[in-house]
Each structure stands twice: as C-alpha cells, then as structure tokens.
C-alpha cells in the first residue's frame, strides 16, 4: 500500500471501531462486516464488492500488530501531508514533512515513490516495502475468508449406527471429493455430525468450512432403540410363562444371553439385561425384553382335552372383572 493511502484513509472509521479497539473485538467486527458484504452474498452488487474491499483492506492493516503501529504513527504526522513522486517544483506537503525531519528545512528533497516506501520501512523497523502490500482476503485485500460449510447425508445399517464405523462419502456434487468419516458409536437416526475442516476450502488460504452430516438409520427387524436402551419382543410359551423357565434372548452383534422367566409371568412384563444396550459418551443402556405369551393356533385332540381339564381345575375367576368395574367410574 502506498504511504499516501495511509494518510488519506481512516481504517478505524471504515470498520466502525475506536482506535483502542482490542484484537478480539476487531476480528469480531471484521467477520460480521465481511459476511454482510462478501461478493458471494451479494452477486453482481458492485457497491457491496467495493465496500468489502475497503473492509478487507482496513482489517489487513489493523489486524497486523506491526502494520497497525506503523499506520498509527503515519496518521499521527497529520492528514494534510501529501505524497509526491519527487522532481523539481513538486508541491510541498509530504516532502516538507520529511525535509523538516531530516534537516532539509522545507526544501525539495528528491524522493521517488520507492524512496518513500524505503523511508517508511527504515522508520518503523521494516525492510524495503514492508507494510505496504495488502495480502489475503477477496482479490488480494484483507484477512482470509473462511470456507463455506457443506451438507451431506448418509444411511447406515442399525448395527453400524450402534457400534460405530468409518465410512467413505462423496461430498460436493458432481465435482465432489471422497471423504472418510468416523461415525461414533451410538449415533441416532436424524442426528447431525459436524466435521471440522471437512467442508469447502477457503478461497484465500483461510480456514476450511465444516461438513454437516445428517445420519439416517435403517430399522432393524428385531431390535428397536429407546434412548440408550434396546428393546426386543420375547415370545414365550404358555407353559414357560405359567411354570417359569430359563430362555435365550438375542443381543445385537453378540451371542444370545440366558434370561430367567419367573413362574406366573404375564404377557407384557419387561425383563432387563444390564449393559447390553447402546453405548455413547453419555453412558451405556440396557436390553429390555418384553414378554409376549405365544398362544398356539392349533391344539391336538389330547392337548385340548388336557387344557380343558386344566381350565376346569382352576378357580372360577374373571380376569376382566376389575377392568369392567373401573371402566364405569
């Protein structure tokens, strides 16, 4: 950047901040303005693009500690000074400022544009043209622009979602790229996973955007998820429910476990197998087995006779008596 620009432009005013603004507040303000006026957000708007360039140019100088110090010192010399390219008869202003500083008494010191930049480099500890060239940002102005976030989705098998796995995705449409993604164990249907730095690359060397992945989970033919628990319907025979038995219960991805059914267990009772549910950072759930008494659809003659004898031997009770009484309340 030419030294005359530093005399003429009030970068603090461009960003709308005070001269003692902190680095953190400066960055926050710049990001807000950059998002508002970025050309991608204002396609075809020449005024917005010009404003974005001004914002980026100002932030490029003020965000650099050394350049900001140099800028403040140059501005302190007075906004009335004018940069000239040298030669006899050139107007005063900038020449007069430095002529007086170095004992030339207001005479016409012969400096070219390059001389002045070298002079500023020596004054403020820089070398050559240090501090005068903008870098980064949109078309060479200001700080780097973060890349945009990308959205993607994937469908997983029930077991993969519960146990976790590494999957490979194509992101970015037809010109996309392949990305390997680690799916954490216990991910739920509809859950979104934010993958830092896996989104669109920055156009000017800044941080890449994120990839926001939405996970869909295929239903399982046996198990259903209930928060951190897994649920399964457990069929038992009438004899097993009435007399009690030890039965096998399936587990997700493992060998079956044995579960004791107490005598007289009714249909609908839930039996719990500790620690065989879903594991996440929040904890581990259980396997919940709901007893379903299976009624035979056909009885052989001898079995029917024995069942009729069993019914005759049982007390004359109506299991619906309480239900009918409460229904009239």
């Amino acid at each position: 950047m030419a030294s005359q620009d530093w005399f003429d432009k009030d970068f603090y005013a461009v960003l709308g901040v005070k001269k003692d603004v902190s680095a953190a507040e400066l960055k926050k303000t710049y990001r807000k303005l950059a998002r508002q006026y970025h050309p991608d957000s204002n396609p075809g708007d020449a005024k917005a693009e010009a404003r974005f360039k001004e914002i980026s140019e100002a932030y490029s100088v003020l965000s650099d500690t050394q350049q900001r110090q140099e800028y403040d010192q140059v501005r302190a010399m007075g906004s009335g000074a004018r940069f000239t390219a040298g030669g006899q008869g050139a107007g005063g202003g900038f020449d007069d400022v430095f002529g007086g500083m170095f004992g030339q008494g207001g005479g016409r010191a012969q400096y070219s544009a390059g001389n002045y930049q070298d002079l500023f480099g020596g004054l403020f500890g820089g070398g050559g043209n240090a501090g005068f060239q903008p870098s980064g940002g949109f078309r060479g102005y200001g700080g780097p622009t973060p890349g945009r976030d990308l959205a993607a989705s994937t469908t997983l098998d029930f077991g993969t979602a519960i146990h976790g796995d590494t999957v490979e995705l194509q992101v970015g449409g037809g010109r996309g790229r392949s990305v390997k993604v680690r799916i954490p164990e216990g991910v739920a249907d509809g859950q979104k996973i934010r993958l830092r730095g896996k989104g669109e690359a920055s156009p000017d060397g800044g941080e890449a955007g994120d990839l926001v992945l939405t996970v869909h989970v295929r239903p399982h033919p046996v198990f259903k998820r209930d928060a951190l628990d897994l649920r399964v319907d457990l069929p038992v025979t009438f004899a097993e429910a009435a007399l009690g038995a030890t039965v096998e219960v399936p587990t997700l991805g493992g060998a079956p476990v044995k579960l004791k059914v107490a005598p007289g267990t009714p249909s609908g009772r839930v039996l719990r197998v500790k620690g065989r549910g879903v594991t996440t950072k929040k904890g581990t759930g259980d396997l919940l087995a709901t007893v379903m008494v299976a009624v035979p659809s056909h009885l052989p003659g001898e079995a029917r006779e024995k069942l009729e004898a069993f019914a005759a031997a049982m007390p004359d009770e109506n299991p619906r008596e309480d239900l009918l009484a409460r229904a009239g309340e």
Side-chain angles (χ1 to χ4, degrees):
M1 179 185 295
S3 54
Q4 183 63 58
D5 289 336
W6 283 15
F7 274 112
D8 291 341
K9 296 181 180 180
D10 186 343
F11 292 146
Y12 293 101
V14 169
L15 295 175
V17 296
K18 296 181 179 180
K19 291 186 177 181
D20 60 352
V21 64
S22 67
E25 186 63 28
L26 181 71
K27 185 175 183 179
K28 180 180 179 182
T29 300
Y30 164 71
R31 286 185 171 180
K32 179 179 179 181
L33 293 172
R35 284 195 298 268
Q36 181 179 353
Y37 292 102
H38 196 284
D40 288 347
S41 302
N42 303 273
D45 189 336
K47 290 184 178 180
E49 181 174 332
R51 176 72 173 128
F52 180 79
K53 289 181 180 179
E54 292 177 347
I55 294 165
S56 298
E57 181 183 20
Y59 181 72
S60 176
V61 174
L62 299 184
S63 63
D64 185 293
T65 303
Q66 182 178 345
Q67 289 197 58
R68 181 173 176 177
Q69 182 181 3
E70 295 173 5
Y71 172 74
D72 289 342
Q73 293 184 48
V74 169
R75 292 279 296 176
M77 293 177 185
S79 60
R82 288 292 179 266
F83 176 84
T84 61
Q88 296 294 334
F94 199 80
D95 284 332
D96 293 339
V97 171
F98 284 94
M101 287 178 63
F102 300 108
Q104 295 175 356
R108 298 294 179 263
Q110 301 300 308
Y111 286 101
S112 67
N115 295 145
Y116 279 117
Q117 292 188 357
D118 291 340
L119 179 59
F120 272 91
L123 276 172
F124 303 118
N129 294 336
F132 293 95
Q133 297 298 324
S135 62
F138 178 73
R139 297 181 184 173
Y141 291 91
T145 306
R148 292 184 298 184
D149 291 347
L150 296 178
S153 64
T154 186
T155 300
L156 305 175
D157 290 334
F158 191 88
T160 300
I162 298 301
H163 298 300
D165 198 1
T166 297
V167 299
E168 191 166 339
L169 306 174
Q170 288 293 125
V171 298
R175 297 177 299 169
R177 52 193 169 85
S178 179
V179 176
K180 287 188 176 181
V181 177
R182 173 62 187 172
I183 303 296
E185 59 183 357
V187 66
D189 183 51
Q191 183 174 335
K192 295 183 183 296
I193 302 174
R194 180 173 290 272
L195 304 163
R196 299 292 181 186
K198 297 291 187 179
E200 189 176 273
S202 168
D204 48 27
E207 294 181 357
D210 299 337
L211 175 63
V212 181
L213 179 65
T214 301
V215 176
H216 301 289
V217 181
R218 296 186 183 94
H220 194 278
V222 171
F223 300 98
K224 292 182 179 179
R225 181 169 177 175
D226 182 1
L228 293 184
D229 295 330
L230 291 178
R231 289 186 175 273
V232 61
D233 290 338
L234 179 64
V236 298
T237 66
F238 173 77
E240 290 173 332
L243 303 176
T246 298
V247 300
E248 286 188 326
V249 181
T251 61
L252 183 65
V257 296
K258 292 185 176 181
L259 191 61
K260 186 176 181 180
V261 178
T265 296
S267 186
R269 176 170 292 178
V270 177
L271 307 178
R272 185 180 299 268
V273 182
K274 296 287 291 184
R276 299 307 292 263
V278 182
T279 297
T280 68
K281 292 181 180 179
K282 297 181 180 179
T284 299
D286 301 329
L287 176 63
L288 306 179
T290 301
V291 173
M292 308 291 291
V293 177
V295 178
S297 59
H298 175 72
L299 289 174
E302 184 179 354
R304 184 180 184 87
E305 292 175 0
K306 291 182 177 181
L307 185 58
E308 290 174 346
F310 165 79
M314 292 294 293
D316 187 11
E317 296 178 344
N318 184 355
R320 295 168 295 281
E321 184 176 354
D322 182 61
L323 174 68
L324 293 171
R326 288 189 289 114
E329 293 179 356

